[in-house]
Amino acid sequence: MKKYTEGKALIIVIIIMAMLLILAPAVVMSSNTEISQTTRYDNRMQAYLYARSGIDAALGWLIQDGELNSDFKSSDYYNGSAFMKGSIDSMSIADSPLTGESDIDVSMSYTPNGVIITSTGLFNGYSREILLTLALTTIESPSFVIPDKALFLQNDEVGNNSVFELIGSPGIIGDFGANTETEDALHFGSKEYITGDIYLAASDDGVMDAIDPDGVLSGDIVYNAPKIYYPAPGFPATPSLEQYPETSGLVSSDGDLMNNTTGAELDLDGNYSFGDFEVKKLLNIDLNYGDKDIVVENFFVSGNINLINRGASGTLSIHVTNSIIFSGNVTINGGAEGGDPMSLTIYYSGTGTP
């Protein structure tokens, strides 16, 4: 019997070619999508770098020898408003907005809170804007250098209802300072500690009501330090967010979080609101490599909170609307990975005592 096999290879080739013709458009579309996304990212990044260059150029012109450029506030020159425009290679400056197309567009304006710098970068139709507030601090004695402080009390007078107390075995890692000269306004217990120095505007230690100052303080006490007044940062409006979904053993159907288990994990794949947010053990909060906001009605922590997967820019902003209570040995954003102070901000908008 004669077998006809000559046409089998041709049929297979035709089937393969048909499949390739079907898949080819999808492959081309996927490639075009990836190229388009990469191009958009590159354009936005270049626009951002232009905006950063504008900020650097503005700071280079504004700050001279550690002080604000005298021409900037002078009514004979810029009168508190200046504008820059151009490219990385060449920038023009004027006291009124400049016209025309450019890679970089910068405006600077003087306000009671400092100098507001707005820089816009433009590249291939994509723009990125950076807003920077340059805080201006006045120190009474220019010869006195004020170091960075872990905690500083700005109010000149501390009344009976707002005495600063350090009790219950907490500590301050770094320097502490206060403008107040009120008698016994600062109270330190016997088990507390300050690892740095204390800078007081007062002339003697009468401002401190300390049981054991030698046990509290590791550094020195500097008296007659000049008073410092920092501009208040902008306080954001509390965002309106959807409630976090119910999670077995961690978040209830009412949006209350209760953590009694060491090593529990809260997955933040977006921005959410909670009712009570109570942490008694160790809670790991996964930021999924992004900036996140949560709104909390009552924030009670007697355990530890660790931020993980922060990524290059991952931050957490906690907006507390009613009460804050920290009890016992509490650490927030200070876990095994090493907490970055810039990755956590807590805003309190309640009316009670936090």
Side-chain angles (χ1 to χ4, degrees):
M1 180 182 292
K2 184 177 180 180
K3 297 182 179 179
Y4 294 91
T5 59
E6 291 83 355
K8 289 184 177 180
L10 179 60
I11 294 173
I12 294 174
V13 170
I14 292 174
I15 293 174
I16 293 175
M17 291 181 65
M19 292 178 64
L20 290 176
L21 289 173
I22 294 172
L23 294 175
V27 173
V28 171
M29 183 178 295
S30 176
S31 298
N32 289 339
T33 300
E34 291 183 4
I35 293 173
S36 177
Q37 290 177 344
T38 302
T39 301
R40 285 198 300 268
Y41 175 82
D42 289 343
N43 289 338
R44 285 174 57 82
M45 179 56 69
Q46 187 60 59
Y48 171 78
L49 293 175
Y50 280 162
R52 282 291 303 269
S53 297
I55 291 291
D56 293 339
L59 291 174
W61 180 82
L62 274 171
I63 307 301
Q64 299 180 2
D65 297 327
E67 297 182 357
L68 192 66
N69 189 336
S70 58
D71 292 343
F72 177 62
K73 290 181 61 178
S74 173
S75 58
D76 295 330
Y77 294 93
Y78 296 93
N79 199 28
S81 295
F83 302 86
M84 302 179 76
K85 204 175 187 70
S87 64
I88 294 178
D89 298 326
S90 176
M91 295 285 287
S92 300
I93 186 166
D95 58 358
S96 59
L98 295 164
T99 59
E101 295 291 334
S102 65
D103 298 332
I104 304 170
D105 195 347
V106 182
S107 67
M108 296 164 275
S109 60
Y110 182 81
T111 72
N113 289 331
V115 179
I116 297 178
I117 306 173
T118 303
S119 178
T120 303
L122 182 65
F123 183 79
N124 283 348
Y126 289 83
S127 65
R128 295 291 297 274
E129 182 180 276
I130 298 177
L131 178 65
L132 174 68
T133 299
L134 183 63
L136 304 177
T137 302
T138 300
I139 301 177
E140 293 180 1
S141 174
S143 61
F144 189 90
V145 178
I146 301 296
D148 293 333
K149 296 175 179 60
L151 179 64
F152 186 83
L153 305 182
Q154 180 171 288
N155 288 348
D156 290 275
E157 299 300 329
V158 180
N160 292 331
N161 295 325
S162 57
V163 173
F164 175 77
E165 294 184 318
L166 192 65
I167 57 176
S169 303
I172 298 175
I173 301 175
D175 296 329
F176 170 83
N179 283 345
T180 180
E181 299 180 62
T182 303
E183 188 79 11
D184 294 337
L186 311 175
H187 176 78
F188 304 103
S190 59
K191 297 181 180 180
E192 292 64 56
Y193 62 89
I194 300 175
T195 63
D197 299 325
I198 294 181
Y199 293 85
L200 300 174
S203 58
D204 54 46
D205 60 5
V207 70
M208 294 191 301
D209 176 20
I211 298 175
D212 184 10
D214 293 333
V216 171
L217 182 63
S218 299
D220 299 321
I221 300 178
V222 178
Y223 300 107
N224 296 311
K227 295 184 178 181
I228 308 174
Y229 300 94
Y230 297 98
F235 195 90
T238 302
S240 178
L241 304 174
E242 64 176 296
Q243 181 179 296
Y244 193 88
E246 182 178 1
T247 303
S248 177
L250 187 61
V251 181
S252 70
S253 59
D254 296 329
D256 294 334
L257 181 145
M258 172 69 74
N259 173 42
N260 292 310
T261 305
T262 295
E265 184 169 305
L266 176 67
D267 184 27
L268 283 183
D269 58 353
N271 303 318
Y272 295 100
S273 67
F274 298 83
D276 293 339
F277 198 99
E278 187 169 353
V279 178
K280 293 185 176 181
K281 296 292 185 179
L282 171 63
L283 176 67
N284 294 315
I285 300 181
D286 187 349
L287 301 181
N288 287 285
Y289 295 92
D291 298 335
K292 300 297 189 300
D293 286 83
I294 63 173
V295 175
V296 174
E297 184 176 353
N298 298 301
F299 191 42
F300 177 80
V301 183
S302 57
N304 302 308
I305 297 177
N306 183 34
L307 304 185
I308 61 175
N309 290 345
R310 286 184 289 269
S313 61
T315 63
L316 176 63
S317 295
I318 303 176
H319 305 261
V320 184
T321 61
N322 187 43
S323 65
I324 298 178
I325 299 177
F326 295 156
S327 175
N329 295 322
V330 172
T331 61
I332 301 178
N333 188 28
E337 295 183 39
D340 179 4
M342 301 304 293
S343 64
L344 174 67
T345 305
I346 301 177
Y347 299 100
Y348 176 69
S349 58
T351 58
T353 301

Short mmCIF file of all heavy atoms in Angstrom, two decimals, residues 54-88:
data_model
loop_
_atom_site.label_atom_id
_atom_site.label_comp_id
_atom_site.label_asym_id
_atom_site.label_seq_id
_atom_site.Cartn_x
_atom_site.Cartn_y
_atom_site.Cartn_z
N GLY A 54 16.62 73.76 38.14
CA GLY A 54 16.09 75.09 38.44
C GLY A 54 16.14 75.41 39.92
O GLY A 54 16.46 76.54 40.32
N ILE A 55 15.83 74.42 40.76
CA ILE A 55 15.93 74.62 42.21
C ILE A 55 17.37 74.93 42.61
O ILE A 55 17.64 75.85 43.40
CB ILE A 55 15.42 73.37 42.96
CG1 ILE A 55 13.90 73.20 42.78
CG2 ILE A 55 15.78 73.45 44.44
CD1 ILE A 55 13.07 74.24 43.48
N ASP A 56 18.31 74.16 42.08
CA ASP A 56 19.72 74.38 42.40
C ASP A 56 20.18 75.77 41.96
O ASP A 56 20.91 76.46 42.69
CB ASP A 56 20.58 73.32 41.72
CG ASP A 56 20.35 71.93 42.28
OD1 ASP A 56 19.85 71.84 43.41
OD2 ASP A 56 20.67 70.94 41.59
N ALA A 57 19.73 76.21 40.78
CA ALA A 57 20.11 77.53 40.30
C ALA A 57 19.53 78.62 41.18
O ALA A 57 20.20 79.62 41.50
CB ALA A 57 19.64 77.72 38.85
N ALA A 58 18.28 78.44 41.61
CA ALA A 58 17.65 79.43 42.48
C ALA A 58 18.36 79.53 43.82
O ALA A 58 18.62 80.63 44.33
CB ALA A 58 16.18 79.09 42.67
N LEU A 59 18.68 78.37 44.41
CA LEU A 59 19.38 78.38 45.70
C LEU A 59 20.76 78.99 45.56
O LEU A 59 21.22 79.72 46.47
CB LEU A 59 19.48 76.95 46.24
CG LEU A 59 18.18 76.30 46.69
CD1 LEU A 59 18.41 74.84 47.08
CD2 LEU A 59 17.57 77.06 47.87
N GLY A 60 21.44 78.72 44.46
CA GLY A 60 22.76 79.30 44.25
C GLY A 60 22.73 80.81 44.16
O GLY A 60 23.67 81.49 44.58
N TRP A 61 21.62 81.36 43.63
CA TRP A 61 21.49 82.81 43.54
C TRP A 61 20.97 83.42 44.84
O TRP A 61 21.40 84.50 45.26
CB TRP A 61 20.55 83.17 42.38
CG TRP A 61 20.37 84.65 42.22
CD1 TRP A 61 21.20 85.51 41.57
CD2 TRP A 61 19.28 85.44 42.73
NE1 TRP A 61 20.71 86.79 41.63
CE2 TRP A 61 19.52 86.79 42.34
CE3 TRP A 61 18.14 85.15 43.46
CZ2 TRP A 61 18.66 87.82 42.68
CZ3 TRP A 61 17.28 86.18 43.79
CH2 TRP A 61 17.55 87.51 43.40
N LEU A 62 20.05 82.71 45.51
CA LEU A 62 19.43 83.25 46.72
C LEU A 62 20.38 83.27 47.91
O LEU A 62 20.40 84.23 48.68
CB LEU A 62 18.19 82.43 47.09
CG LEU A 62 16.87 82.79 46.43
CD1 LEU A 62 15.82 81.74 46.74
CD2 LEU A 62 16.40 84.16 46.88
N ILE A 63 21.14 82.20 48.10
CA ILE A 63 21.98 82.06 49.29
C ILE A 63 23.42 82.40 48.93
O ILE A 63 24.05 81.73 48.11
CB ILE A 63 21.90 80.64 49.86
CG1 ILE A 63 20.45 80.24 50.09
CG2 ILE A 63 22.70 80.54 51.14
CD1 ILE A 63 19.70 81.16 51.04
N GLN A 64 23.94 83.41 49.58
CA GLN A 64 25.31 83.84 49.36
C GLN A 64 26.00 84.00 50.70
O GLN A 64 25.55 84.78 51.54
CB GLN A 64 25.35 85.15 48.56
CG GLN A 64 24.73 85.04 47.18
CD GLN A 64 24.78 86.34 46.40
OE1 GLN A 64 25.32 87.34 46.87
NE2 GLN A 64 24.22 86.33 45.20
N ASP A 65 27.05 83.21 50.90
CA ASP A 65 27.80 83.21 52.18
C ASP A 65 26.89 82.89 53.36
O ASP A 65 27.02 83.48 54.45
CB ASP A 65 28.49 84.57 52.39
CG ASP A 65 29.54 84.86 51.33
OD1 ASP A 65 30.17 83.90 50.87
OD2 ASP A 65 29.70 86.04 50.96
N GLY A 66 25.95 81.97 53.14
CA GLY A 66 25.07 81.55 54.22
C GLY A 66 23.93 82.50 54.53
O GLY A 66 23.16 82.26 55.47
N GLU A 67 23.78 83.57 53.78
CA GLU A 67 22.72 84.54 54.02
C GLU A 67 21.91 84.77 52.75
O GLU A 67 22.36 84.48 51.63
CB GLU A 67 23.30 85.87 54.52
CG GLU A 67 24.02 85.75 55.86
CD GLU A 67 24.53 87.10 56.35
OE1 GLU A 67 24.36 88.10 55.60
OE2 GLU A 67 25.07 87.17 57.45
N LEU A 68 20.71 85.32 52.95
CA LEU A 68 19.83 85.61 51.83
C LEU A 68 20.40 86.76 51.00
O LEU A 68 20.88 87.76 51.55
CB LEU A 68 18.44 85.97 52.34
CG LEU A 68 17.30 86.03 51.31
CD1 LEU A 68 17.05 84.63 50.74
CD2 LEU A 68 16.04 86.57 51.95
N ASN A 69 20.38 86.61 49.69
CA ASN A 69 20.85 87.65 48.77
C ASN A 69 20.18 88.99 49.11
O ASN A 69 18.95 89.10 49.10
CB ASN A 69 20.54 87.23 47.33
CG ASN A 69 21.17 88.15 46.31
OD1 ASN A 69 21.48 89.30 46.58
ND2 ASN A 69 21.37 87.62 45.12
N SER A 70 20.97 90.00 49.42
CA SER A 70 20.42 91.29 49.85
C SER A 70 19.60 91.96 48.75
O SER A 70 18.67 92.74 49.04
CB SER A 70 21.56 92.23 50.29
OG SER A 70 22.49 92.42 49.23
N ASP A 71 19.89 91.67 47.48
CA ASP A 71 19.11 92.28 46.39
C ASP A 71 17.71 91.69 46.30
O ASP A 71 16.80 92.34 45.76
CB ASP A 71 19.82 92.06 45.05
CG ASP A 71 21.12 92.84 44.95
OD1 ASP A 71 21.31 93.77 45.76
OD2 ASP A 71 21.95 92.52 44.08
N PHE A 72 17.51 90.47 46.82
CA PHE A 72 16.22 89.80 46.64
C PHE A 72 15.09 90.55 47.35
O PHE A 72 14.01 90.74 46.79
CB PHE A 72 16.32 88.36 47.16
CG PHE A 72 15.02 87.60 47.09
CD1 PHE A 72 14.41 87.34 45.88
CD2 PHE A 72 14.41 87.12 48.25
CE1 PHE A 72 13.21 86.63 45.81
CE2 PHE A 72 13.23 86.43 48.20
CZ PHE A 72 12.63 86.18 46.98
N LYS A 73 15.32 90.99 48.59
CA LYS A 73 14.27 91.69 49.34
C LYS A 73 14.28 93.20 49.11
O LYS A 73 13.33 93.88 49.48
CB LYS A 73 14.41 91.40 50.84
CG LYS A 73 14.08 89.96 51.23
CD LYS A 73 14.22 89.76 52.74
CE LYS A 73 13.25 90.65 53.50
NZ LYS A 73 13.33 90.43 54.96
N SER A 74 15.32 93.72 48.51
CA SER A 74 15.45 95.17 48.32
C SER A 74 14.39 95.68 47.34
O SER A 74 14.19 95.13 46.26
CB SER A 74 16.85 95.51 47.80
OG SER A 74 16.93 96.88 47.45
N SER A 75 13.72 96.78 47.73
CA SER A 75 12.72 97.39 46.86
C SER A 75 13.37 98.03 45.63
O SER A 75 12.69 98.28 44.63
CB SER A 75 11.93 98.45 47.63
OG SER A 75 12.81 99.45 48.16
N ASP A 76 14.66 98.27 45.69
CA ASP A 76 15.36 98.85 44.54
C ASP A 76 15.68 97.79 43.48
O ASP A 76 16.03 98.15 42.34
CB ASP A 76 16.66 99.53 44.99
CG ASP A 76 16.41 100.72 45.89
OD1 ASP A 76 15.35 101.36 45.74
OD2 ASP A 76 17.25 100.98 46.76
N TYR A 77 15.56 96.52 43.84
CA TYR A 77 15.93 95.47 42.90
C TYR A 77 14.74 94.52 42.66
O TYR A 77 13.93 94.74 41.77
CB TYR A 77 17.15 94.70 43.39
CG TYR A 77 18.40 95.55 43.43
CD1 TYR A 77 18.78 96.23 44.59
CD2 TYR A 77 19.20 95.69 42.30
CE1 TYR A 77 19.92 97.02 44.62
CE2 TYR A 77 20.34 96.48 42.32
CZ TYR A 77 20.69 97.14 43.48
OH TYR A 77 21.82 97.93 43.52
N TYR A 78 14.60 93.48 43.49
CA TYR A 78 13.59 92.46 43.21
C TYR A 78 12.38 92.55 44.13
O TYR A 78 11.34 91.96 43.84
CB TYR A 78 14.22 91.06 43.32
CG TYR A 78 15.29 90.84 42.28
CD1 TYR A 78 16.63 91.11 42.55
CD2 TYR A 78 14.96 90.39 41.01
CE1 TYR A 78 17.61 90.92 41.59
CE2 TYR A 78 15.93 90.19 40.04
CZ TYR A 78 17.25 90.48 40.33
OH TYR A 78 18.22 90.29 39.38
N ASN A 79 12.51 93.22 45.26
CA ASN A 79 11.38 93.45 46.17
C ASN A 79 10.67 92.15 46.57
O ASN A 79 9.45 92.09 46.68
CB ASN A 79 10.38 94.41 45.54
CG ASN A 79 9.46 95.04 46.58
OD1 ASN A 79 9.84 95.20 47.75
ND2 ASN A 79 8.25 95.39 46.18
N GLY A 80 11.44 91.10 46.78
CA GLY A 80 10.86 89.84 47.28
C GLY A 80 10.30 88.92 46.21
O GLY A 80 9.70 87.90 46.56
N SER A 81 10.46 89.25 44.93
CA SER A 81 9.98 88.38 43.85
C SER A 81 11.03 88.33 42.75
O SER A 81 11.45 89.38 42.25
CB SER A 81 8.66 88.88 43.28
OG SER A 81 7.62 88.80 44.24
N ALA A 82 11.42 87.12 42.37
CA ALA A 82 12.41 86.97 41.31
C ALA A 82 12.01 85.79 40.43
O ALA A 82 11.35 84.85 40.89
CB ALA A 82 13.80 86.76 41.89
N PHE A 83 12.40 85.87 39.17
CA PHE A 83 12.01 84.85 38.19
C PHE A 83 13.23 84.48 37.34
O PHE A 83 13.99 85.35 36.92
CB PHE A 83 10.88 85.36 37.29
CG PHE A 83 9.66 85.79 38.06
CD1 PHE A 83 9.56 87.08 38.58
CD2 PHE A 83 8.63 84.90 38.28
CE1 PHE A 83 8.44 87.47 39.30
CE2 PHE A 83 7.50 85.28 39.00
CZ PHE A 83 7.41 86.57 39.51
N MET A 84 13.39 83.16 37.12
CA MET A 84 14.48 82.66 36.30
C MET A 84 13.90 81.82 35.17
O MET A 84 12.90 81.13 35.35
CB MET A 84 15.45 81.83 37.14
CG MET A 84 16.04 82.57 38.33
SD MET A 84 17.17 81.56 39.32
CE MET A 84 18.62 81.57 38.28
N LYS A 85 14.57 81.85 34.03
CA LYS A 85 14.10 81.10 32.88
C LYS A 85 15.29 80.78 31.98
O LYS A 85 16.20 81.58 31.85
CB LYS A 85 13.06 81.92 32.10
CG LYS A 85 12.09 81.11 31.25
CD LYS A 85 11.06 82.04 30.63
CE LYS A 85 9.96 81.28 29.91
NZ LYS A 85 9.08 80.54 30.84
N GLY A 86 15.25 79.57 31.37
CA GLY A 86 16.33 79.24 30.45
C GLY A 86 16.59 77.75 30.40
O GLY A 86 15.67 76.93 30.50
N SER A 87 17.86 77.39 30.29
CA SER A 87 18.28 75.99 30.19
C SER A 87 19.40 75.73 31.19
O SER A 87 19.81 76.64 31.93
CB SER A 87 18.77 75.70 28.77
OG SER A 87 19.92 76.47 28.48
N ILE A 88 19.89 74.50 31.20
CA ILE A 88 20.99 74.17 32.11
C ILE A 88 22.21 75.03 31.83
O ILE A 88 22.95 75.41 32.74
CB ILE A 88 21.34 72.66 32.00
CG1 ILE A 88 20.16 71.82 32.49
CG2 ILE A 88 22.59 72.32 32.78
CD1 ILE A 88 20.37 70.33 32.37
#
